[in-house]
């Protein structure tokens, strides 16, 4: 009987270097996901019956809240003591460290706040945004 060997992940996370700047696959997936979602939401503005300016503002807040939520959640629930001793490392996103759950929490909270403030139906835009977001999540996995 043959024993199966486990798969060992040894892929380089860096796509290419520009001098000292690294372009990583995961960061590109985030940017690509944001761009696809932004494009898809703006293409659906007539269906949503929401002015373009409000949708653009929402997308800005959404992207910011996803990145901040993902980073804060990671810091709080992985190695909080390390970040207390090295607070400058909180801003070192290029070293990795984001959490899906924090990004999701940030997205939901900012969406609820923004839609309540501007009297936009949460479920109406949720139906539109779910497709590009699901596609971006598949790419990231």
């Amino acid at each position: 009987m043959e024993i199966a060997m486990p798969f060992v992940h040894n892929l380089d996370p860096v796509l290419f270097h520009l001098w000292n700047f690294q372009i990583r696959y995961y960061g590109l997936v985030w940017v690509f996901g944001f761009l696809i979602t932004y494009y898809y939401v703006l293409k659906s503005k007539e269906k949503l019956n929401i002015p373009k300016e409000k949708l653009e503002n929402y997308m800005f807040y959404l992207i910011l809240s996803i990145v901040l939520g993902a980073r804060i959640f990671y810091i709080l629930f992985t190695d909080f003591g390390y970040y207390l001793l090295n607070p400058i490392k909180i801003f070192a996103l290029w070293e990795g460290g984001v959490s899906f759950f924090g990004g999701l929490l940030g997205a939901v909270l900012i969406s609820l706040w923004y839609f309540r403030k501007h009297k936009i139906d949460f479920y109406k835009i949720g139906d539109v945004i779910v497709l590009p977001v699901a596609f971006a999540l598949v790419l990231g996995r």
Side-chain angles (χ1 to χ4, degrees):
M1 185 162 99
E2 191 174 318
I3 298 174
M5 297 299 292
F7 174 73
V8 177
H9 178 300
N10 60 0
L11 299 172
D12 186 7
V14 179
L15 178 61
F16 61 88
H17 297 269
L18 287 173
W19 300 280
N20 283 342
F21 189 70
Q22 298 176 343
I23 304 296
R24 295 175 177 253
Y25 292 105
Y26 198 65
L28 284 179
V29 169
W30 276 60
V31 170
F32 190 62
F34 290 143
L35 290 174
I36 288 172
T37 304
Y38 177 77
Y39 175 78
Y40 196 77
V41 167
L42 286 184
K43 286 297 255 185
S44 303
K45 73 178 184 226
E46 286 81 26
K47 178 182 175 184
L48 295 170
N49 197 22
I50 301 171
K52 183 180 178 183
E53 182 180 318
K54 282 188 181 180
L55 286 175
E56 287 177 340
N57 288 339
Y58 168 65
M59 289 304 299
F60 172 77
Y61 290 127
L62 182 67
I63 291 168
L64 189 64
S65 68
I66 289 172
V67 172
L68 288 175
R71 184 63 174 169
I72 290 168
F73 203 89
Y74 177 83
I75 289 166
L76 291 176
F77 295 105
T78 55
D79 196 1
F80 185 64
Y82 171 77
Y83 289 101
L84 273 178
L85 295 174
N86 303 295
I88 196 70
K89 293 289 187 177
I90 290 172
F91 304 104
L93 282 172
W94 56 89
E95 292 179 5
V98 290
S99 166
F100 165 77
F101 300 108
L104 178 63
L105 183 64
V108 169
L109 291 177
I110 203 70
S111 296
L112 288 171
W113 170 78
Y114 192 84
F115 297 152
R116 182 173 291 158
K117 178 181 176 185
H118 294 283
K119 297 176 179 51
I120 299 170
D121 185 14
F122 180 83
Y123 298 108
K124 192 175 180 181
I125 198 163
D127 285 343
V128 169
I129 209 168
V130 72
L131 288 174
V133 168
F135 180 68
L137 286 172
V138 166
L139 290 177
R141 293 289 124 202

